[in-house]
Structure formats: C-alpha cells, structure tokens
Amino acid sequence: MAQFTMPSLGADMTEGTLVEWLVGPGDQVHKGDIVAVVDTSKSAIEVECFHSGVIDRLLVETGATVPVGTPLAVISPSGETAGTAPGPSAADDQKEQAGPPETVTPPASPEAGESGEAVTATPLVRHLAEEAGLDIAAVHGTGPGGRITRADVREEAAAEGSSRTSAKKAPSEGRRVRATPLARRTAAEAGVELGSVTGTGRDGAVRAADVRAAAPKRRAGRREAPAAEPETTAAEPTRDLTGRGAATTAQDAADRLAAMRRTTADLMARSKREVPHYYLSTTVDLGKAVSWLRERNRALPVPKRLVTTAVLLKATALATQQVPQLNGFWTDGGFTGEPSVHLGVAVSLRGGGLVAPAIRDAADLPLPDLMARLRDLVTRARAGRLRASETSSATITATNLGDQGVEAVFGVIYAPQVALVGFGRVVERPWAVNGLLGVRPVVTATLSADHRASDGATGARFLAALDNWAQKPEEM
C-alpha cells in the first residue's frame, strides 16, 4: 500500500485545502495522473499522483485544510485489485497527454453490447465524460486499441447537443459541474446553482465572473416568484436584495490577496534575513535578436510569433546550463545541483499577487516550444489551474518587469533556490559597435545570487554567457 500525501507546493507552503477529488475508490491511477485540486494561499493547484495502482480509499474530505505531508488517500498496487487490467505502454502515454488509461467495464446490456469488452480511458477523459453527462461505455474510442480520447468525448457530446439543451437548463442533481474553486465559493455565497450557470472558461468551466453575472438574474427571478418557497426566501433575502453577497465575495477576494501577500512577505523576509545576497548587472545589446525576430515573425501568423521575452528566457536557461553553480538548491547546509534547468517565471495575477511556476527543461526546448509553454503557463496561472510539478520544481527563477516600465530589477532569491535573474524594459540607447556609434535596443539584466553557493566571479560568468547567447538567437 502507498499513501498519497498533501504535497509541498513551494517553500512557503505549510498546509493546503483539498478543493476537489478527481478520482474515487476503485479508480486506477498511474504516476503523473492529476488526481486532486489543492488550494494554497496563492492559487488552486492540480496535483499529480506519484504512484501507480488503484485508489483504495480517500482519507480526507473536500474542503478540509491539512498540513503538508498529511495522508490524503491510500493506493493499492494494481496487482492487488481483482480484475484490474494491465497498464498501457509508454507510447500510448505520449499520445494521450492527459495520462495513462484506466480500465472501465461497461454494464452488459443490449445497447452496450454483451461482449463484456473493456473500455480504456484516462481519469481526465472519464471526468470530462461525466461532466458532459455521457456514459463512457457508450462512447466510441478512436485512440490506439479503441482508447477513448478527449476528442471522442467532445464529438459524442456535440452529437447529442440538441437532446442535451434542455438537460443543461435543468441539470441532473448528481452530475458534477466543471468550475474553478473560486467559482464554487462564489456560487455558495451568492446562492447560485452552478448547474444553471453557463461557463466561459476552458472546456466550458464555470468561472467566478460567470457566477457573478448569473447572480443578478437569479435575484431578479426570485423577486418575481410567488412566496411558495419559504426555505429559499427565508434563507437569503437580505443577501440577495442588498447585494451583500457580492460584498462578501469581494471581501473573500481581498482576504485571499492579503493572505498571499503575507505568505510572500514572510518568504522574502526569511530569504533576505538568511541568504547572503550579492547583486550584479550588465547591459545586453538586443540589436541582433530584435532584427532576427522581426524577420522571422514577418511570415508567421500572430499566434506563432515570438517575443523578446522568449529570447531572454531561453538565453537565461542556456546560461544556467553553462554555469551550473546557479542551478539548484541550498539545503541542509550545502548546495545540491540539478541536472536540468527548470526555469521559474514570475507571473503577476490579475487580482494581485505573484506566482512563479516553472517551464520544465527550458534549456532543451526550441524557442517556438518555449514560447508556447510560456503562453500556456501564464494563462493557466491566472486561471488558477497550475499543476503541482510546475509550482515546486523551479531550479532558478526569472522575472521581467519591462512591461511595467522599469529598467532594472534586483530581486529577492526564492529560497531554497540560489539565484534570480531580472530583466527591465528594452530601451534604445547610443551604442558603439566596431568603433561606430549608433542607436541600439538594449536591456539591463541583473543577477541576485546566494554567496554561499557562488561568488561574484561565477555570477559574472553567468551574465557573460547570457549576453553571448542573446547575440545568437538563431542558434537557440
């Protein structure tokens, strides 16, 4: 038996709130499957499983706040559960990014067929089918070996769209509605049924804004309704008629932001107090990079174009790979280097606050792939749908405040990391090249580093390597 525990999703996390289980007893899971959503002081995180097997039992109910390391579920090895089908091949795992498939045996019926053949689908695909109100056994799989993919679920849902229009207006009581944790809290406070709200988020997920938009309609309808529902009207008239529900939601958002600020402040204060920082800076000529980007982007559609930030992040990752003394963690009185560069990227959240999820293996990604990862990471960070592996694996962090107008950033190290790189805005300045003076686009790059793990000479080599890579964007 293995235990799935509350993970540590960052050096500043001591406890987390279990928001949602995506699996239940009897479900087969594999290492890397997303099995739960955990709410930290910063955002909601999708948590992956670190074991393969079958969920034996869930130990913590949704809504509970427990310390890091608390057992959340018990996982039995697959071989200990009767009737468990063997796991998929590695090739199948790569074809379906949502995770390895689990085995579901459809009920024997004339409609489903009486062959008793097993249907394969990942936990995420089963979750999507449940949200769409589909019987997974009735969905035709087009993947390898008849495997059911997300596309199959979407097509089946679209095919039954006309018959489901009325069902969406009056959803069944047992069907799970896809919604963000904040949307669920907002709906509970405003007295709005999530099933009656049309979601505008990813894959139709209900967002807090959707709930707030639906709340006035619900209140208006309630004022016109006859007094035949004493339980409902007695429970919420003050909140609905005075707008106090919206005020409560705003207060919750303010409280969450304040908690995030406190958490960040505590971590930064500890870092400044315990980590001996040293700071270096250099000015990087981006003339070649800007010209190369202009030529490359000219023939590409907007979604495929690269921005200067992608070049700077890739240069940072390559420089870190070249100077590995800055890539790792200071723990237990010593430095532990990491073989891969997982580049943390500071992302400002719309409501305020900051998170720094990681672009994994950033040094090995081609520039277009790094740009795509960056877009995806920022979108999900601001939607509160990051994954555990992205919030706890960064080996070095970069922050770019150029879009805010600042020219230099001297950041505080995100311990136990040992370095942080900052970039300001790109400005045009007089610049001498081969003895000739001209105007060139330049950016100030700064390094905040831990003097216990490296020294000024090491930091200088890092900045020189970053500058060198920024001059060769075509080689990245």
Side-chain angles (χ1 to χ4, degrees):
M1 293 277 189
Q3 288 186 334
F4 170 62
T5 61
M6 175 64 73
S8 175
L9 304 175
D12 53 349
M13 178 178 170
T14 59
E15 62 182 18
T17 300
L18 180 63
V19 176
E20 183 179 8
W21 281 112
L22 301 181
V23 295
D27 285 347
Q28 185 174 358
V29 296
H30 291 74
K31 184 176 180 180
D33 283 355
I34 298 172
V35 296
V37 178
V38 170
D39 199 6
T40 70
S41 60
K42 290 190 174 182
S43 63
I45 309 295
E46 294 179 337
V47 181
E48 300 99 326
C49 185
F50 294 98
H51 304 280
S52 296
V54 175
I55 300 295
D56 183 74
R57 61 187 182 275
L58 305 179
L59 304 177
V60 175
E61 295 183 356
T62 56
T65 299
V66 296
V68 169
T70 300
L72 302 179
V74 176
I75 301 175
S76 303
S78 298
E80 295 184 7
T81 302
T84 301
S89 66
D92 287 347
D93 288 346
Q94 295 175 355
K95 292 179 181 178
E96 177 60 60
Q97 296 179 355
E102 61 177 328
T103 300
V104 181
T105 303
S109 66
E111 293 77 15
E114 300 179 358
S115 64
E117 294 182 357
V119 177
T120 54
T122 68
L124 177 58
V125 169
R126 283 191 71 194
H127 185 60
L128 293 175
E130 181 183 356
E131 291 176 345
L134 299 176
D135 178 5
I136 192 70
V139 179
H140 175 67
T142 61
R147 182 180 187 174
I148 298 173
T149 67
R150 283 172 287 182
D152 298 331
V153 172
R154 294 193 188 99
E155 290 179 5
E156 183 70 19
E160 298 185 9
S162 58
S163 63
R164 294 189 180 275
T165 301
S166 58
K168 286 185 178 180
K169 293 179 181 178
S172 63
E173 186 176 336
R175 192 197 314 174
R176 185 195 299 270
V177 178
R178 186 174 180 84
T180 67
L182 180 57
R184 294 184 187 279
R185 289 197 296 270
T186 304
E189 292 160 357
V192 174
E193 183 182 352
L194 278 175
S196 65
V197 180
T198 301
T200 61
R202 185 176 180 181
D203 294 329
V206 177
R207 301 163 52 203
D210 302 328
V211 176
R212 287 192 287 268
K217 299 176 183 178
R218 179 183 176 89
R219 290 195 291 267
R222 189 172 287 160
R223 284 194 296 268
E224 296 172 1
E229 297 182 354
E231 294 181 359
T232 303
T233 55
E236 298 173 347
T238 304
R239 175 184 293 171
D240 285 348
L241 297 178
T242 64
R244 197 171 299 168
T248 303
T249 301
Q251 184 60 47
D252 284 348
D255 291 344
R256 184 180 181 86
L257 177 58
M260 183 184 299
R261 295 284 192 200
R262 285 195 300 271
T263 301
T264 302
D266 290 344
L267 181 65
M268 295 298 99
R270 186 166 68 248
S271 177
K272 287 292 288 183
R273 185 171 60 248
E274 299 176 1
V275 178
H277 287 60
Y278 70 87
Y279 305 95
L280 302 174
S281 69
T282 190
T283 303
V284 179
D285 178 10
L286 291 179
K288 292 182 180 179
V290 170
S291 297
W292 181 80
L293 287 172
R294 185 182 299 114
E295 289 298 321
R296 182 190 182 283
N297 290 337
R298 183 172 296 160
L300 295 175
V302 174
K304 297 291 185 181
R305 293 177 184 174
L306 302 178
V307 297
T308 308
T309 298
V311 173
L312 294 175
L313 293 180
K314 184 61 186 290
T316 299
L318 291 171
T320 304
Q321 190 177 59
Q322 192 171 327
V323 186
Q325 294 90 335
L326 301 181
N327 189 54
F329 310 98
W330 185 269
T331 55
D332 299 326
F335 174 71
T336 303
E338 293 292 324
S340 299
V341 179
H342 303 318
L343 183 61
V345 181
V347 179
S348 60
L349 304 179
R350 291 192 179 93
L354 187 73
V355 294
I359 299 177
R360 296 181 60 83
D361 302 308
D364 302 324
L365 294 174
L367 261 178
D369 292 348
L370 187 145
M371 184 72 215
R373 293 273 188 92
L374 178 63
R375 283 196 180 103
D376 175 63
L377 205 62
V378 171
T379 300
R380 287 190 292 107
R382 290 174 175 168
R385 301 304 290 183
L386 291 173
R387 294 168 187 158
S389 58
E390 296 165 338
T391 62
S392 58
S393 62
T395 56
I396 185 173
T397 295
T399 180
N400 187 336
L401 289 176
D403 60 340
Q404 302 296 319
V406 300
E407 293 193 12
V409 184
F410 293 89
V412 180
I413 299 170
Y414 186 60
Q417 297 172 33
V418 298
L420 182 140
V421 183
F423 296 102
R425 68 188 179 98
V426 179
V427 297
E428 291 189 339
R429 287 183 180 167
W431 199 261
V433 179
N434 297 325
L436 297 176
L437 186 65
V439 176
R440 309 278 286 189
V442 300
V443 67
T444 299
T446 63
L447 172 70
S448 306
D450 187 338
H451 225 316
R452 299 172 299 181
S454 65
D455 52 31
T458 304
R461 284 193 291 112
F462 170 82
L463 288 179
L466 191 158
D467 189 353
N468 181 59
W469 280 112
Q471 310 307 317
K472 302 182 293 185
E474 71 283 353
E475 297 182 18
M476 291 182 177

